Amino acid sequence: MKRAIPALVLSAAALVPVWRYAPSTDTTSTTATAESAPSAAAGSTVVSGPTIDTEKGPVQVQATFQGEKITAVRMLQQPDHPQTEAAVPVLIEETLEAQSADIDTVSGATITSDAYRESLQAALDENEKSASSSDSDSDSASSSDSASDSESSAESASRTVAGSTVGTSKGDVQVQVTFEGDDITAVEMLKQPNHPQTEAAVPVLIKETLAAQSADIDTVSGATITSDGYRESLQAALDAKA
């Protein structure tokens, strides 16, 4: 039986230093789908879980894998509800720590937590299935050139770029961005000042980046220095990708 995370987690959710979040979309999916086929030594693989309908609204999870490791998670669909918005970063952080769908229910967001785990588990199963299929195909490949072409295709589907480290009076700031084609699909802070205002600002900056798909985002009140360093490192990553 899953234990409930104390309600205190909800109020602290905004302070999670590293998380990935994307606003809900109207896109629906009835089965888990691998969007890029992984191969040995290939790049990241992005897999969307199925859409789980709940009484609060649809829930759909997308996971990015490096081999079998979960490197990023984003919500493609989620209920438009304050408790859900507070629960999402907690669920994502626990997923990245556990590297599985065996995570706790967030108190006050039981329905969303259950649907999140179900959609995530389907994505995990699909990635494992695709990896097994890819390994089998690789073993039977007769040409090293075809294997190289497959690897190049997988790498071009998803790419992770780290921006420059920006020194500030509060501490270093460095941003890492995951791209699918030209789209920014995930943002992670590699370095950030150890300060409460920074920790509160990071999820806001990431959310705005995913919405704007650029570094043209607003400064977070009370975290001007971190915001400026974030934008500079983010722009460097965008320029490097181009």
Side-chain angles (χ1 to χ4, degrees):
M1 179 182 296
K2 300 292 180 180
R3 66 182 184 279
I5 295 178
L8 180 59
V9 175
L10 293 179
S11 62
L15 302 183
V16 177
V18 178
W19 62 288
R20 303 165 182 82
Y21 172 81
S24 61
T25 69
D26 294 330
T27 303
T28 59
S29 173
T30 56
T31 60
T33 304
E35 295 186 356
S36 59
S39 62
S44 300
T45 303
V46 179
V47 183
S48 297
T51 298
I52 309 300
D53 291 321
T54 75
E55 63 186 65
K56 299 294 186 182
V59 174
Q60 185 180 21
V61 177
Q62 182 183 83
T64 300
F65 300 87
Q66 189 73 34
E68 295 182 356
K69 182 179 180 181
I70 305 170
T71 58
V73 180
R74 67 185 292 224
M75 296 291 283
L76 298 182
Q77 297 186 76
Q78 68 182 61
D80 184 14
H81 192 278
Q83 287 178 309
T84 294
E85 293 179 359
V88 164
V90 180
L91 292 168
I92 291 175
E93 182 183 29
E94 286 194 348
T95 300
L96 295 173
E97 290 178 355
Q99 289 294 303
S100 73
D102 185 18
I103 59 175
D104 294 325
T105 295
V106 176
S107 179
T110 301
I111 293 174
T112 296
S113 298
D114 290 344
Y116 173 97
R117 283 192 294 261
E118 184 176 348
S119 184
L120 173 62
Q121 186 60 60
L124 292 168
D125 293 342
E126 182 64 23
N127 182 63
E128 182 177 358
K129 177 181 177 181
S130 297
S132 298
S133 176
S134 178
D135 289 341
S136 176
D137 292 341
S138 178
D139 290 340
S140 63
S142 60
S143 170
S144 60
D145 289 340
S146 63
S148 177
D149 290 342
S150 176
E151 179 176 336
S152 296
S153 176
E155 289 176 343
S156 64
S158 179
R159 183 181 178 189
T160 301
V161 181
S164 57
T165 298
V166 179
T168 76
S169 60
K170 298 295 185 180
D172 290 343
V173 175
Q174 186 179 23
V175 177
Q176 178 176 278
V177 184
T178 300
F179 298 92
E180 289 298 322
D182 292 331
D183 294 335
I184 301 173
T185 58
V187 180
E188 179 178 357
M189 294 293 283
L190 300 182
K191 297 179 182 179
Q192 67 183 63
N194 183 15
H195 192 279
Q197 288 176 309
T198 294
E199 293 176 353
V202 165
V204 178
L205 292 167
I206 292 175
K207 181 177 180 179
E208 288 188 357
T209 300
L210 293 171
Q213 290 293 301
S214 74
D216 185 18
I217 58 176
D218 294 330
T219 295
V220 176
S221 179
T224 301
I225 293 174
T226 296
S227 298
D228 290 343
Y230 174 95
R231 282 192 295 261
E232 183 177 342
S233 183
L234 173 61
Q235 187 60 58
L238 294 172
D239 293 342
K241 185 266 178 186

